[in-house]
Amino acid sequence: MPSPHIGLARRIFARLGFLLGLCLALSSGCTPGTEITKDREPRVSPTTSTLPIPTSASSPSGSLSATFPVTTPPRLPSAKTTSAPHPSRVASPTVTKAMSPVVYETSLSLMTYDYQSALLPTTPDDPVYPYPRLDHNKVGPPSPRTYRALVLENRYLQLTILPELGGRLYRWVDKASGHNLFYSNPVLKPTHWGIRGWWLATGGMEWALPLDEHGLSEATPWHYTIERHPDRVSVSLRDVEEHSGLVCTITVQLDDQHSYFTLIPQITNPTRDPVRYKFWINGMFSLGSPQAEAGLQFILPVDRVMVHSSGDKDLPGPGKLMTWPEFRGRDMSRASNWQKYLGVFAYPAITADFMGAYNHQTHLGVVRVFPHPITRGAKIFSLGDIPAAVWTDDESRYFELWAGLAPTFWDEVTLAPGQTVSWQEYWYSVNHTGGFTYANEQAALNLALSSTTVEVAAAVTSALEGPMRLWHNGRVTASWNVSLTPGQAFRRTLEIAPAQSAGVWKLELRDDRGRQIAMFREEIGRTTRWNAR
């Protein structure tokens, strides 16, 4: 814990750095609460504020004042064949009518407990200073409150950002299914979790800095800027974290060709001292189900994990290791096999460039693609037996996907004076793939083997035509010419004799120019994953 004087100096230098950033932004025509058009002429819109924003009287509580229709295409059936089929073209209709990406401001009404009147100021000797703590006994009942909302949308997805609540991504509507992939709590209710002794389980995706367990600024307003271009739109959220003095910027971008959203975190140390800190992205998901754990499978491409916390006495304790995905005969990738709450980290760090989850009941999945040498931390968490009344007033549930710079919550990273760390990652949905065993920013593949069947699937993030081939022991077993668009998975099941399952299997997807888009290879008892474009 730095001394109060060092902390004060850091905050002063951080503010100076922030003002310098504003000056630079002004010189380029970009200011908080403004939008930038293709001709670089700023259009002024209201800056971020904690004041309520009037909404239409016809807008229901918890819904945007502006809505857009989404289409739900029919599910593609899984065909079975007894032998390798001849190449065939599988057409995939467009998810929605073509549209340029758009971004606009609106408002969102949410039932909110009166926690602000129960906030307690802290002193410099408090580890969370200058952020407030909370007297839970003085929290008032919920009532409707209006929040500013920023909406980004293209033909495949719609995102909603709440800048007043930590700049979080609150909704992610997948237009192919019509579902919100995030968990969006219908009521903002302070829990006893978090490093401050309270945390709003708002839902969506939050940015935890500079400490673990949800950080310190997930409930404070963030500045934002909007940019518009013919082929892409973006919102940049910016906060001077007052405990460490670090400046955090999160840019969310949509383009006109892809079903993913691009996430660009950037953390800068404008102070004169090195800063040790933690940074984690926390995504809270439901994948279209109010009972998010039913049918849930975690995709974490490691063979060992470290336990963070658990209520299951049959599992190792905090800081201990366990095999993954199977541990003592239990498939721990399936949330249905979790008897209690559980959180685990990839150990010793994540070594692949993807992770995610898939719900086998809603047939929806979420994929995260990222540079693992930079973001080495990957954590999953599910609530298990914790009652929903802890965080909400209905029975809705969620699970969490965490992504951090350090491997675990117990580790830190250091940012030198004037240093910046930044990276780019991609998040997208998959539908009716049965899961995925490999993913990159262009496609997700699934190769599932049993003693009598081989199931293959592919989902893409932009329109693609080309061959997809299944190999067994160096020979092509099946081949298809596929025409794919986002939201429409290619999926087939082949029947095989039990003796044929042994050996090396490979699934690859190429484009119509022969370039390899994605490839997954599995050997019985051994699996490797890579992108060999």
Side-chain angles (χ1 to χ4, degrees):
M1 171 69 186
S3 72
H5 300 292
I6 294 176
L8 178 61
R10 283 179 176 173
R11 289 192 292 276
I12 291 173
F13 277 99
R15 290 296 178 186
L16 290 174
F18 181 60
L19 290 174
L20 177 60
L22 287 180
C23 293
L24 293 174
L26 284 167
S27 67
S28 63
C30 181
T31 59
T34 68
E35 63 186 65
I36 304 300
T37 59
K38 63 180 180 179
D39 55 4
R40 306 300 297 175
E41 290 296 326
R43 298 175 185 165
V44 178
S45 56
T47 57
T48 308
S49 169
T50 57
L51 296 176
I53 306 168
T55 58
S56 169
S58 62
S59 298
S61 176
S63 64
L64 287 173
S65 59
T67 59
F68 290 83
V70 295
T71 58
T72 305
R75 177 181 175 182
L76 293 178
S78 297
K80 285 192 175 184
T81 57
T82 56
S83 60
H86 295 289
S88 60
R89 179 168 296 277
V90 181
S92 179
T94 303
V95 176
T96 60
K97 185 178 179 181
M99 62 174 289
S100 298
V102 296
V103 57
Y104 56 91
E105 298 188 48
T106 181
S107 58
L108 184 68
S109 178
L110 293 172
M111 295 297 292
T112 304
Y113 275 79
D114 181 16
Y115 67 91
Q116 291 188 325
S117 62
L119 295 176
L120 301 173
T122 54
T123 57
D125 60 343
D126 192 314
V128 303
Y129 178 80
Y131 294 91
R133 294 192 181 271
L134 183 73
D135 185 343
H136 288 269
N137 294 322
K138 294 184 178 179
V139 174
S143 61
R145 179 179 171 182
T146 303
Y147 298 88
R148 176 172 286 113
L150 311 174
V151 179
L152 302 92
E153 183 175 11
N154 67 10
R155 73 183 78 177
Y156 303 118
L157 69 154
Q158 184 189 80
L159 302 174
T160 301
I161 297 172
L162 300 181
E164 293 164 287
L165 289 173
R168 74 179 57 244
L169 271 168
Y170 181 67
R171 283 180 178 162
W172 173 6
V173 176
D174 167 49
K175 291 189 176 183
S177 65
H179 285 294
N180 177 21
L181 303 182
F182 283 141
Y183 172 72
S184 298
N185 200 335
V187 61
L188 302 192
K189 180 179 183 179
T191 71
H192 289 266
W193 297 333
I195 202 75
R196 298 184 312 256
W198 67 280
W199 170 67
L200 297 177
T202 309
M205 184 175 286
E206 62 184 6
W207 332 111
L209 181 79
L211 306 175
D212 56 11
E213 294 291 1
H214 307 287
L216 295 175
S217 59
E218 98 290 341
T220 60
W222 285 41
H223 295 266
Y224 66 89
T225 58
I226 294 173
E227 289 201 27
R228 288 181 172 89
H229 301 276
D231 60 343
R232 68 189 186 279
V233 294
S234 66
V235 172
S236 292
L237 302 139
R238 183 181 174 93
D239 180 60
V240 179
E241 200 289 303
E242 296 189 70
H243 181 81
S244 63
L246 297 175
V247 177
C248 182
T249 303
I250 305 290
T251 298
V252 183
Q253 180 176 287
L254 291 185
D255 65 36
D256 60 350
Q257 298 294 325
H258 295 92
S259 61
Y260 56 64
F261 66 87
T262 304
L263 198 66
I264 309 173
Q266 177 179 294
I267 304 167
T268 300
N269 179 9
T271 76
R272 295 189 297 183
D273 300 306
V275 176
R276 294 186 62 81
Y277 69 102
K278 305 173 185 182
F279 176 80
W280 289 83
I281 297 169
N282 175 31
M284 302 169 64
F285 293 91
S286 66
L287 296 184
S289 172
Q291 302 302 311
E293 295 148 310
L296 174 64
Q297 180 181 13
F298 289 103
I299 289 94
L300 193 62
V302 295
D303 55 18
R304 286 190 300 171
V305 295
M306 176 180 285
V307 175
H308 175 237
S309 62
S310 178
D312 191 337
K313 301 302 181 183
D314 293 330
L315 299 179
K320 304 298 183 181
L321 301 181
M322 54 186 281
T323 56
W324 181 270
E326 289 196 9
F327 179 74
R328 296 178 181 173
R330 293 163 62 182
D331 182 358
M332 300 304 295
S333 70
R334 302 278 183 154
S336 59
N337 292 326
W338 295 23
Q339 300 167 1
K340 305 286 184 178
Y341 70 88
L342 175 63
V344 299
F345 300 100
Y347 183 84
I350 189 73
T351 56
D353 288 335
F354 70 96
M355 63 179 294
Y358 188 86
N359 189 304
H360 291 270
Q361 292 186 3
T362 63
H363 307 288
L364 291 173
V366 57
V367 180
R368 174 187 176 236
V369 177
F370 56 96
H372 78 269
I374 298 177
T375 55
R376 298 175 295 151
K379 181 195 175 191
I380 58 175
F381 174 79
S382 190
L383 295 154
D385 59 336
I386 301 177
V390 171
W391 65 86
T392 190
D393 288 345
D394 62 9
E395 294 300 317
S396 59
R397 304 182 70 81
Y398 64 91
F399 67 91
E400 294 176 343
L401 298 178
W402 289 77
L405 288 174
T408 75
F409 283 1
W410 298 298
D411 302 311
E412 294 179 322
V413 291
T414 300
L415 207 56
Q419 187 179 14
T420 292
V421 60
S422 182
W423 66 97
Q424 186 165 296
E425 52 187 69
Y426 308 89
W427 292 75
Y428 61 92
S429 64
V430 292
N431 298 275
H432 295 286
T433 61
F436 58 94
T437 49
Y438 173 77
N440 59 29
E441 70 272 20
Q442 293 180 289
L445 301 179
N446 192 36
L447 176 60
L449 296 168
S450 73
S451 60
T452 58
T453 62
V454 179
E455 184 174 308
V456 301
V460 294
T461 60
S462 63
L464 180 141
E465 293 187 2
M468 181 171 172
R469 296 186 179 95
L470 177 67
W471 301 70
H472 182 220
N473 292 331
R475 299 180 61 183
V476 176
T477 300
S479 178
W480 305 267
N481 289 327
V482 297
S483 178
L484 300 173
T485 58
Q488 298 289 326
F490 173 86
R491 188 174 178 181
R492 292 291 183 270
T493 299
L494 307 178
E495 294 181 354
I496 59 174
Q500 293 178 325
S501 62
V504 178
W505 294 87
K506 184 176 75 171
L507 181 65
E508 69 170 352
L509 177 65
R510 294 179 179 268
D511 65 14
D512 55 4
R513 299 175 62 181
R515 295 174 299 187
Q516 190 174 74
I517 301 301
M519 186 257 285
F520 175 77
R521 179 180 181 272
E522 180 169 359
E523 184 177 354
I524 299 301
R526 182 179 179 183
T527 303
T528 57
R529 301 168 171 88
W530 69 92
N531 177 8
R533 290 181 298 170

